[in-house]
Amino acid sequence: MSNQGLIIEERSRDIGDFLVGRLIPFRKKRMVGPFIFIDHMGPTVIKNGHYMDVDQHPHIGLSTLTYMLEGELIHKDSIGTHQRISPGSVNWMVAGKGVAHTERTPNDLRDGTEFTAHGYQIWVALPKELEHIEPEFHHIDARDLPAWQDNNAHFRLIAGKGYGRTSPLPVHSDLFMIEVKAKEGYELKINGELNGEIGICIVSGSIEACEDTIEQGNMLVSKTEDSCNIVLKPNTHVLLFGGQPFPEERYIYWNFVSTSKERLEEAKEQWRNNRFPKVPGDNTYVPLPK
Protein backbone atom coordinates (compact mmCIF):
# COMPACT_ATOMS: atom_id res chain seq x y z
CA MET A 1 0.00 0.00 0.00
CA SER A 2 1.04 3.55 -0.56
CA ASN A 3 2.72 5.32 2.35
CA GLN A 4 2.49 8.76 0.73
CA GLY A 5 1.56 11.93 2.64
CA LEU A 6 3.74 11.32 5.69
CA ILE A 7 3.33 13.24 8.92
CA ILE A 8 5.26 12.90 12.17
CA GLU A 9 3.77 11.29 15.28
CA GLU A 10 6.25 10.22 17.93
CA ARG A 11 4.41 7.14 19.14
CA SER A 12 4.02 5.58 15.70
CA ARG A 13 6.12 2.53 14.87
CA ASP A 14 6.60 -0.06 12.17
CA ILE A 15 6.12 -3.80 12.89
CA GLY A 16 6.56 -5.37 9.47
CA ASP A 17 3.32 -5.62 7.53
CA PHE A 18 1.69 -2.92 9.69
CA LEU A 19 2.15 0.65 10.84
CA VAL A 20 1.09 1.27 14.45
CA GLY A 21 -0.02 4.63 15.82
CA ARG A 22 -2.62 6.58 17.76
CA LEU A 23 -5.67 7.08 15.52
CA ILE A 24 -5.46 8.92 12.20
CA PRO A 25 -3.89 10.88 10.76
CA PHE A 26 -0.62 9.56 12.19
CA ARG A 27 2.99 9.00 11.17
CA LYS A 28 3.35 7.64 7.62
CA LYS A 29 -0.40 7.59 7.01
CA ARG A 30 -2.77 10.54 6.59
CA MET A 31 -5.74 8.53 5.28
CA VAL A 32 -6.88 4.90 5.21
CA GLY A 33 -8.99 4.44 2.10
CA PRO A 34 -11.44 7.39 2.21
CA PHE A 35 -11.23 7.64 6.04
CA ILE A 36 -9.48 10.90 6.91
CA PHE A 37 -10.09 11.45 10.62
CA ILE A 38 -11.00 9.27 13.62
CA ASP A 39 -11.70 10.80 17.04
CA HIS A 40 -12.12 8.52 20.04
CA MET A 41 -14.69 10.02 22.43
CA GLY A 42 -14.20 8.78 26.00
CA PRO A 43 -14.93 6.59 27.74
CA THR A 44 -15.96 9.52 29.95
CA VAL A 45 -18.26 9.52 32.98
CA ILE A 46 -20.88 12.21 32.38
CA LYS A 47 -21.73 13.89 35.68
CA ASN A 48 -24.33 16.43 36.79
CA GLY A 49 -23.55 19.84 35.24
CA HIS A 50 -20.85 18.43 32.96
CA TYR A 51 -22.80 17.27 29.94
CA MET A 52 -21.67 16.88 26.36
CA ASP A 53 -22.51 20.04 24.44
CA VAL A 54 -20.83 20.51 21.07
CA ASP A 55 -22.09 23.86 19.81
CA GLN A 56 -22.95 24.72 16.22
CA HIS A 57 -20.02 24.18 13.85
CA PRO A 58 -19.64 23.60 10.08
CA HIS A 59 -18.38 20.90 7.70
CA ILE A 60 -17.73 20.63 3.97
CA GLY A 61 -16.46 17.90 1.63
CA LEU A 62 -16.95 14.92 3.94
CA SER A 63 -19.41 12.63 5.67
CA THR A 64 -19.42 12.29 9.46
CA LEU A 65 -20.04 8.85 10.96
CA THR A 66 -20.97 8.78 14.65
CA TYR A 67 -20.90 5.39 16.36
CA MET A 68 -21.63 5.15 20.09
CA LEU A 69 -20.53 2.22 22.24
CA GLU A 70 -22.05 3.64 25.43
CA GLY A 71 -24.24 6.64 26.17
CA GLU A 72 -26.51 8.66 23.88
CA LEU A 73 -26.41 11.92 21.93
CA ILE A 74 -28.87 14.22 20.17
CA HIS A 75 -27.79 15.35 16.70
CA LYS A 76 -29.32 18.48 15.15
CA ASP A 77 -28.27 20.00 11.84
CA SER A 78 -29.03 22.76 9.35
CA ILE A 79 -30.98 20.32 7.16
CA GLY A 80 -33.55 20.17 9.97
CA THR A 81 -32.52 16.79 11.41
CA HIS A 82 -33.26 16.02 15.06
CA GLN A 83 -31.96 12.52 15.77
CA ARG A 84 -31.11 10.61 18.93
CA ILE A 85 -28.31 8.05 18.62
CA SER A 86 -27.99 5.02 20.91
CA PRO A 87 -25.19 2.43 21.18
CA GLY A 88 -24.83 0.27 18.07
CA SER A 89 -26.74 2.66 15.80
CA VAL A 90 -25.15 4.92 13.18
CA ASN A 91 -25.57 8.61 12.41
CA TRP A 92 -24.30 9.49 8.90
CA MET A 93 -24.26 13.15 7.91
CA VAL A 94 -23.16 14.01 4.37
CA ALA A 95 -21.84 17.58 4.56
CA GLY A 96 -21.30 18.07 0.83
CA LYS A 97 -21.29 21.77 -0.06
CA GLY A 98 -21.87 22.80 3.54
CA VAL A 99 -23.76 21.94 6.71
CA ALA A 100 -23.74 23.00 10.37
CA HIS A 101 -24.65 20.77 13.31
CA THR A 102 -24.64 20.29 17.09
CA GLU A 103 -24.29 17.21 19.30
CA ARG A 104 -25.59 17.25 22.87
CA THR A 105 -26.54 15.06 25.81
CA PRO A 106 -30.31 14.40 25.60
CA ASN A 107 -32.46 16.45 28.01
CA ASP A 108 -33.89 13.36 29.70
CA LEU A 109 -30.36 12.26 30.68
CA ARG A 110 -29.62 15.61 32.36
CA ASP A 111 -31.19 14.52 35.65
CA GLY A 112 -28.00 14.20 37.68
CA THR A 113 -27.60 10.46 37.05
CA GLU A 114 -24.04 9.57 36.07
CA PHE A 115 -23.48 7.56 32.89
CA THR A 116 -20.61 6.70 30.56
CA ALA A 117 -20.25 8.23 27.09
CA HIS A 118 -17.98 6.32 24.73
CA GLY A 119 -17.86 6.33 20.96
CA TYR A 120 -16.16 7.34 17.74
CA GLN A 121 -16.55 10.40 15.53
CA ILE A 122 -15.26 9.56 12.07
CA TRP A 123 -14.79 11.63 8.92
CA VAL A 124 -15.00 10.01 5.50
CA ALA A 125 -13.87 12.17 2.58
CA LEU A 126 -16.26 12.45 -0.35
CA PRO A 127 -15.13 11.64 -3.91
CA LYS A 128 -13.98 14.76 -5.74
CA GLU A 129 -17.03 14.83 -8.03
CA LEU A 130 -19.38 14.70 -5.01
CA GLU A 131 -17.70 17.23 -2.74
CA HIS A 132 -20.36 19.89 -3.49
CA ILE A 133 -23.53 17.79 -3.31
CA GLU A 134 -26.54 18.82 -1.24
CA PRO A 135 -26.25 17.80 2.43
CA GLU A 136 -28.00 14.61 3.58
CA PHE A 137 -28.57 12.84 6.88
CA HIS A 138 -29.21 9.13 7.50
CA HIS A 139 -29.75 7.14 10.69
CA ILE A 140 -29.55 3.34 10.77
CA ASP A 141 -30.73 1.48 13.88
CA ALA A 142 -28.48 -1.21 15.34
CA ARG A 143 -31.03 -3.93 14.52
CA ASP A 144 -30.85 -3.03 10.82
CA LEU A 145 -27.07 -3.51 10.49
CA PRO A 146 -25.81 -6.91 9.30
CA ALA A 147 -24.54 -8.94 12.27
CA TRP A 148 -23.18 -12.50 12.45
CA GLN A 149 -21.18 -14.91 14.56
CA ASP A 150 -18.03 -16.81 13.58
CA ASN A 151 -16.99 -19.32 16.24
CA ASN A 152 -16.67 -17.14 19.35
CA ALA A 153 -16.41 -13.78 17.55
CA HIS A 154 -19.33 -11.42 16.92
CA PHE A 155 -19.29 -9.19 13.80
CA ARG A 156 -21.36 -6.11 12.93
CA LEU A 157 -21.03 -4.40 9.53
CA ILE A 158 -21.43 -0.69 10.24
CA ALA A 159 -20.76 0.73 6.78
CA GLY A 160 -19.90 -0.39 3.26
CA LYS A 161 -19.10 -3.94 2.18
CA GLY A 162 -17.16 -6.78 3.76
CA TYR A 163 -17.28 -10.52 4.43
CA GLY A 164 -19.83 -10.95 1.64
CA ARG A 165 -22.31 -8.54 3.20
CA THR A 166 -23.48 -4.94 2.58
CA SER A 167 -24.55 -2.35 5.15
CA PRO A 168 -27.73 -0.35 4.42
CA LEU A 169 -25.86 2.89 5.15
CA PRO A 170 -25.82 4.91 1.86
CA VAL A 171 -22.09 5.53 1.40
CA HIS A 172 -20.52 7.30 -1.60
CA SER A 173 -17.35 5.27 -2.19
CA ASP A 174 -15.84 1.80 -1.86
CA LEU A 175 -15.28 1.42 1.89
CA PHE A 176 -15.96 -0.70 4.97
CA MET A 177 -16.28 -0.34 8.73
CA ILE A 178 -16.79 -3.48 10.82
CA GLU A 179 -16.98 -4.10 14.56
CA VAL A 180 -15.55 -7.37 15.92
CA LYS A 181 -15.80 -8.60 19.51
CA ALA A 182 -14.17 -11.80 20.76
CA LYS A 183 -14.61 -13.19 24.29
CA GLU A 184 -11.94 -15.82 23.66
CA GLY A 185 -8.87 -15.89 21.42
CA TYR A 186 -9.81 -15.59 17.76
CA GLU A 187 -7.81 -15.61 14.51
CA LEU A 188 -9.20 -12.85 12.32
CA LYS A 189 -9.23 -13.55 8.59
CA ILE A 190 -8.79 -10.37 6.52
CA ASN A 191 -7.33 -11.51 3.21
CA GLY A 192 -10.02 -11.85 0.55
CA GLU A 193 -12.74 -10.49 2.86
CA LEU A 194 -12.09 -6.74 2.65
CA ASN A 195 -11.30 -4.56 -0.35
CA GLY A 196 -8.64 -1.83 -0.26
CA GLU A 197 -6.52 -0.35 2.51
CA ILE A 198 -7.15 -1.76 5.98
CA GLY A 199 -7.04 -0.11 9.40
CA ILE A 200 -7.60 -1.82 12.75
CA CYS A 201 -8.60 0.24 15.79
CA ILE A 202 -8.20 -1.59 19.10
CA VAL A 203 -11.06 -0.40 21.29
CA SER A 204 -10.24 -2.74 24.18
CA GLY A 205 -8.08 -5.78 24.82
CA SER A 206 -5.11 -6.52 22.58
CA ILE A 207 -4.16 -8.24 19.34
CA GLU A 208 -1.16 -10.08 18.01
CA ALA A 209 0.17 -9.10 14.59
CA CYS A 210 3.48 -10.09 13.01
CA GLU A 211 4.61 -11.62 16.34
CA ASP A 212 4.02 -8.28 18.07
CA THR A 213 1.35 -7.59 20.72
CA ILE A 214 -0.53 -4.33 20.27
CA GLU A 215 -2.61 -2.98 23.17
CA GLN A 216 -5.88 -1.07 23.22
CA GLY A 217 -5.88 2.59 22.16
CA ASN A 218 -3.60 1.91 19.19
CA MET A 219 -4.39 1.65 15.52
CA LEU A 220 -2.75 -0.52 12.88
CA VAL A 221 -2.68 0.19 9.17
CA SER A 222 -1.71 -2.60 6.79
CA LYS A 223 1.10 -1.76 4.37
CA THR A 224 0.36 -4.74 2.13
CA GLU A 225 -2.72 -6.38 0.63
CA ASP A 226 -1.52 -9.76 1.97
CA SER A 227 -0.79 -8.98 5.62
CA CYS A 228 0.23 -11.37 8.37
CA ASN A 229 -2.47 -13.04 10.46
CA ILE A 230 -4.24 -11.09 13.19
CA VAL A 231 -5.12 -12.82 16.46
CA LEU A 232 -7.56 -11.20 18.85
CA LYS A 233 -6.70 -11.98 22.46
CA PRO A 234 -9.55 -12.88 24.86
CA ASN A 235 -12.02 -10.04 25.60
CA THR A 236 -10.88 -7.93 22.65
CA HIS A 237 -12.99 -5.40 20.75
CA VAL A 238 -11.77 -3.93 17.44
CA LEU A 239 -13.04 -1.77 14.59
CA LEU A 240 -11.89 -2.59 11.04
CA PHE A 241 -12.10 0.25 8.54
CA GLY A 242 -10.74 1.32 5.16
CA GLY A 243 -11.38 0.90 1.47
CA GLN A 244 -10.11 2.13 -1.86
CA PRO A 245 -8.00 5.31 -1.64
CA PHE A 246 -8.80 8.35 -3.76
CA PRO A 247 -6.34 9.43 -6.48
CA GLU A 248 -6.30 13.07 -5.31
CA GLU A 249 -4.80 14.56 -2.16
CA ARG A 250 -7.16 15.92 0.50
CA TYR A 251 -6.55 19.15 2.41
CA ILE A 252 -7.92 19.71 5.92
CA TYR A 253 -8.54 22.94 7.79
CA TRP A 254 -10.47 22.63 11.05
CA ASN A 255 -13.73 20.84 10.12
CA PHE A 256 -13.34 21.37 6.38
CA VAL A 257 -12.04 18.79 3.89
CA SER A 258 -11.46 19.45 0.19
CA THR A 259 -9.36 18.64 -2.85
CA SER A 260 -9.08 22.42 -3.33
CA LYS A 261 -7.23 24.85 -1.05
CA GLU A 262 -9.32 27.63 -2.61
CA ARG A 263 -12.51 25.91 -1.49
CA LEU A 264 -11.14 25.76 2.06
CA GLU A 265 -10.58 29.52 1.99
CA GLU A 266 -14.14 30.06 0.73
CA ALA A 267 -15.53 27.91 3.56
CA LYS A 268 -13.51 29.88 6.11
CA GLU A 269 -14.96 33.13 4.86
CA GLN A 270 -18.47 31.69 4.78
CA TRP A 271 -18.31 30.64 8.42
CA ARG A 272 -16.50 33.77 9.58
CA ASN A 273 -19.19 35.94 7.97
CA ASN A 274 -22.17 33.84 9.14
CA ARG A 275 -23.10 32.73 5.63
CA PHE A 276 -23.37 29.01 6.45
CA PRO A 277 -26.80 27.39 6.85
CA LYS A 278 -27.89 27.37 10.50
CA VAL A 279 -29.35 24.76 12.84
CA PRO A 280 -32.99 25.83 13.33
CA GLY A 281 -33.56 27.44 16.72
CA ASP A 282 -29.87 27.33 17.72
CA ASN A 283 -27.85 30.53 18.03
CA THR A 284 -24.60 28.98 19.29
CA TYR A 285 -21.47 29.54 17.23
CA VAL A 286 -18.00 27.99 17.41
CA PRO A 287 -15.58 30.63 16.06
CA LEU A 288 -13.14 29.81 13.27
CA PRO A 289 -9.76 28.93 14.88
CA LYS A 290 -7.15 31.65 14.60
Side-chain angles (χ1 to χ4, degrees):
M1 290 184 181
S2 171
N3 292 330
Q4 299 302 312
L6 309 189
I7 63 171
I8 302 303
E9 218 296 331
E10 290 182 350
R11 285 176 287 187
S12 297
R13 57 198 175 100
D14 193 319
I15 63 164
D17 288 352
F18 291 89
L19 303 169
V20 181
R22 307 284 296 189
L23 305 188
I24 57 171
F26 69 85
R27 180 176 175 258
K28 295 188 179 179
K29 199 66 184 166
R30 294 186 70 98
M31 294 177 67
V32 181
F35 289 77
I36 196 165
F37 180 81
I38 295 183
D39 184 23
H40 188 194
M41 302 181 288
T44 301
V45 177
I46 304 298
K47 300 180 179 180
N48 189 25
H50 296 277
Y51 299 110
M52 189 175 294
D53 281 303
V54 181
D55 287 341
Q56 188 162 201
H57 61 283
H59 290 287
I60 65 164
L62 56 85
S63 299
T64 63
L65 189 159
T66 304
Y67 190 68
M68 299 299 292
L69 305 175
E70 296 179 84
E72 299 189 345
L73 288 174
I74 294 289
H75 166 100
K76 293 184 180 181
D77 62 39
S78 53
I79 312 168
T81 307
H82 183 160
Q83 178 64 54
R84 188 183 188 114
I85 183 170
S86 302
S89 299
V90 183
N91 274 2
W92 176 254
M93 183 182 71
V94 182
K97 67 180 185 180
V99 73
H101 76 126
T102 63
E103 287 179 308
R104 306 188 189 282
T105 298
N107 288 334
D108 58 284
L109 296 181
R110 296 173 183 252
D111 60 358
T113 303
E114 294 185 3
F115 65 95
T116 299
H118 184 199
Y120 286 85
Q121 183 77 55
I122 295 165
W123 296 358
V124 180
L126 283 166
K128 183 177 181 180
E129 65 275 13
L130 299 177
E131 286 184 321
H132 308 297
I133 60 174
E134 291 291 331
E136 305 171 6
F137 180 87
H138 303 274
H139 174 85
I140 307 294
D141 284 338
R143 64 177 178 269
D144 295 324
L145 294 171
W148 66 98
Q149 196 84 10
D150 181 53
N151 293 325
N152 63 323
H154 182 265
F155 289 71
R156 175 180 281 144
L157 179 58
I158 299 166
K161 297 180 180 180
Y163 293 88
R165 296 164 174 87
T166 302
S167 166
L169 199 70
V171 299
H172 294 84
S173 59
D174 187 355
L175 60 84
F176 59 85
M177 182 172 168
I178 300 168
E179 182 178 44
V180 187
K181 296 179 180 178
K183 290 185 178 180
E184 302 172 16
Y186 175 75
E187 184 170 336
L188 179 65
K189 182 185 176 187
I190 291 177
N191 298 335
E193 301 290 355
L194 302 172
N195 184 25
E197 298 184 328
I198 299 167
I200 304 170
C201 176
I202 307 170
V203 180
S204 60
S206 62
I207 70 174
E208 189 175 291
C210 303
E211 301 181 350
D212 209 324
T213 299
I214 314 299
E215 303 292 340
Q216 70 182 54
N218 282 296
M219 183 169 289
L220 288 79
V221 178
S222 177
K223 298 187 299 180
T224 67
E225 296 289 348
D226 185 23
S227 58
C228 59
N229 291 336
I230 300 293
V231 176
L232 277 59
K233 300 295 184 68
N235 298 312
T236 291
H237 181 184
V238 300
L239 293 174
L240 311 176
F241 67 97
Q244 292 297 333
F246 294 132
E248 318 88 1
E249 183 177 359
R250 291 302 186 277
Y251 303 104
I252 304 180
Y253 177 84
W254 192 35
N255 303 314
F256 305 139
V257 170
S258 181
T259 54
S260 163
K261 290 182 179 179
E262 291 75 17
R263 178 66 188 108
L264 293 184
E265 292 303 319
E266 289 173 5
K268 288 187 207 178
E269 284 303 307
Q270 268 185 286
W271 186 248
R272 190 181 287 122
N273 296 315
N274 289 301
R275 289 190 286 107
F276 251 83
K278 301 289 195 307
V279 177
D282 192 302
N283 294 318
T284 61
Y285 176 84
V286 177
L288 194 77
K290 294 182 180 179

